Amino acid sequence: MSESNYLLAIEDLTVSFDGFKAVDGLNFYMDRNELRVIIGPNGAGKTTVLDLICGKTKATDGSIKFKNRELLGMAEHKIVHSGVGRKFQTPSIYENLTVFENLELSYPGGHTVFGTLAFRRTPEVIARIESVAESVYLKEMLEIEGAFLSHGQKQWLEIGMLLMQDPELLMLDEPVAGMSPAEREATAELLKRICENRSILIIEHDMEFVQRIAHKVTVLHLGKILAEGSMTEIQQNERVQDVYLGH
């Protein structure tokens, strides 16, 4: 497949911090509607890659193309508006607002000052909120304040807030950390379902969870790709066992 046909094409991506290359000449490609998981030991550069894609960290060299459009040098909010959504490890919701209000704030109508002033709670907005809430298991909790949700429900709400913007690439950093076994199972089903019309890039350490969801696994080590393939192939890779899985 040519570079232009990938949803995300990263080439020769490098970022240095005081001479240390956290990401070192990375080449990484994602298809449309793909669920990819990045694994690797601490310090491998996993979160840094997501930071580079969303513009939080500036690259030293290389290219990041999303739908064949260069993201490097683009402002973070413009990257979001181009169709890239990012969720960090710790849930970032408005705890004093209800689930409905959290989702409403994420509705893509207030990207400009005029848009914010002109925003109205139309039947279309309400229908969108109810649809997203149902997809993230929160349809019956729309009037509950964020502070009263469980840890897993807060994670789902933040995913829902991103889904309100209908991103074509959704990036999640350890989405099931701290979840109960039942919540992890529900999250696996959620991600497999919402991947039907978007790509999802996940950083995760829970190998059982990765086995359940990943179309393809990328192993990072010292800022470079150590291996790529199915989870079965990764588990049988001796280099990966030595560097990561064996520990």
Side-chain angles (χ1 to χ4, degrees), residues 114-186:
F114 178 78
T116 302
L117 293 174
F119 181 81
R120 294 291 182 269
R121 187 179 287 182
T122 64
E124 179 186 5
V125 172
I126 294 171
R128 175 70 177 156
I129 290 170
E130 290 178 346
S131 174
V132 168
E134 184 171 19
S135 72
V136 296
Y137 313 120
L138 297 175
K139 181 72 179 290
E140 306 304 319
M141 308 193 74
L142 284 170
E143 299 308 315
I144 303 296
E145 288 188 7
F148 296 102
L149 300 177
S150 71
H151 172 74
Q153 289 169 334
K154 289 177 180 177
Q155 299 275 35
W156 293 338
L157 176 55
E158 190 170 13
I159 291 173
M161 292 166 71
L162 290 171
L163 291 178
M164 288 294 295
Q165 302 163 28
D166 200 21
E168 291 180 66
L169 175 62
L170 182 59
M171 302 191 298
L172 309 174
D173 199 341
E174 297 189 42
V176 296
M179 284 190 179
S180 68
E183 288 173 333
R184 286 200 296 272
E185 185 170 338

Side-chain angles (χ1 to χ4, degrees), residues 201-220:
L201 179 58
I202 298 175
I203 292 173
E204 190 50 69
H205 289 288
D206 185 329
M207 292 302 105
E208 183 178 344
F209 182 74
V210 174
Q211 177 78 56
R212 290 197 58 183
I213 66 168
H215 297 166
K216 190 174 183 179
V217 179
T218 297
V219 186
L220 285 190

Side-chain angles (χ1 to χ4, degrees), residues 92-112:
S92 176
I93 64 170
Y94 300 98
E95 298 209 346
N96 61 325
L97 299 181
T98 65
V99 168
F100 187 99
E101 291 166 336
N102 269 277
L103 294 173
E104 184 178 42
L105 278 175
S106 303
Y107 188 83
H111 294 328
T112 65

Side-chain angles (χ1 to χ4, degrees), residues 69-89:
R69 182 184 182 188
E70 183 60 61
L71 298 185
L72 292 188
M74 192 182 293
E76 288 184 60
H77 71 278
K78 290 187 177 180
I79 293 175
V80 171
H81 296 165
S82 73
V84 178
R86 165 80 184 275
K87 182 193 176 307
F88 294 86
Q89 286 176 282

Side-chain angles (χ1 to χ4, degrees), residues 26-31 34-41 46 200-221 224-237 240 244-245:
L26 182 70
N27 293 298
F28 177 90
Y29 305 93
M30 272 190 76
D31 294 327
E34 179 184 353
L35 202 164
R36 177 78 65 90
V37 181
I38 298 177
I39 66 173
K46 303 183 298 297
I200 305 178
L201 179 58
I202 298 175
I203 292 173
E204 190 50 69
H205 289 288
D206 185 329
M207 292 302 105
E208 183 178 344
F209 182 74
V210 174
Q211 177 78 56
R212 290 197 58 183
I213 66 168
H215 297 166
K216 190 174 183 179
V217 179
T218 297
V219 186
L220 285 190
H221 179 53
K224 296 182 177 182
I225 292 179
L226 180 67
E228 279 188 326
S230 68
M231 191 58 193
T232 300
E233 291 169 335
I234 293 301
Q235 288 172 323
Q236 294 173 350
N237 187 301
V240 176
Y244 182 49
L245 298 179

